[in-house]
Amino acid sequence: MKTHLLVAVLLLLGACVSIEVEKEGLSAENVILASTGSEGEMNEATQDSFVPGDEVSIVFLNVHGLELGEDGLYKYDVDIELKGASGETLYVETDLIGEAGHRALEGGIAKSPAGTIETIKSMPKGTYTLTVTLKDKVSGKSLTESRDF
């Protein structure tokens, strides 16, 4: 298994930071922790910005390396796992995207696949870990990212 973490150089003109994450042949230009806004939009968030009841997401931005299927479409999906502060698994869900991930992609790039979990208001305060795995169902390649919140 080949795992690389490539950090691109600061672009001087736009002062933008580009981070490319590559694992097992798939790569994302960036991976962010996000919260869901009042109108359903995803906003980049920090670990400390969540409260029980919030939706928490890990978003892969501009995923490259997916393989085209024999039917001329791409097929990818997302799994999530939530762990508590002591490492115990609290929740697992697989194949969140389902048939919506079997589709044409402009330039072969999946723009923003995400794994999202809606927390409950009665969750005890503490640090939780969300792990999201993006799977290429054609090649078997995957990209996994974990973030604490």
Side-chain angles (χ1 to χ4, degrees):
M1 271 189 222
K2 196 173 175 186
T3 302
H4 300 284
L5 179 60
L6 303 170
V7 180
V9 181
L10 254 172
L11 298 173
L12 296 175
L13 295 175
C16 294
V17 177
S18 176
I19 298 175
E20 185 173 318
V21 179
E22 181 181 334
K23 295 183 182 175
E24 298 183 32
L26 296 181
S27 66
E29 291 178 15
N30 201 354
V31 181
I32 63 170
L33 185 64
S35 61
T36 304
S38 60
E39 296 184 24
E41 76 284 2
M42 286 193 185
N43 302 302
E44 191 166 1
T46 64
Q47 176 181 346
D48 300 328
S49 63
F50 293 98
V51 295
D54 285 351
E55 283 189 357
V56 180
S57 301
I58 293 178
V59 185
F60 296 96
L61 299 175
N62 298 322
V63 176
H64 300 263
L66 295 164
E67 289 189 24
L68 198 57
E70 290 181 9
D71 61 358
L73 299 174
Y74 295 89
K75 189 168 187 175
Y76 61 93
D77 219 318
V78 170
D79 296 344
I80 62 171
E81 178 181 43
L82 179 66
K83 289 189 175 186
S86 60
E88 75 281 13
T89 299
L90 301 174
Y91 183 78
V92 173
E93 190 168 349
T94 60
D95 300 329
L96 291 172
I97 296 175
E99 280 304 308
H102 186 204
R103 53 184 279 191
L105 295 172
E106 187 177 328
I109 299 170
K111 300 289 185 201
S112 57
T116 301
I117 189 162
E118 186 173 343
T119 63
I120 56 174
K121 291 184 187 239
S122 62
M123 283 177 77
K125 289 191 179 194
T127 300
Y128 295 85
T129 302
L130 177 62
T131 299
V132 177
T133 301
L134 176 70
K135 306 174 296 185
D136 182 339
K137 300 282 223 166
V138 175
S139 71
K141 298 174 187 173
S142 64
L143 180 61
T144 299
E145 190 73 24
S146 295
R147 298 289 170 96
D148 292 337
F149 67 95

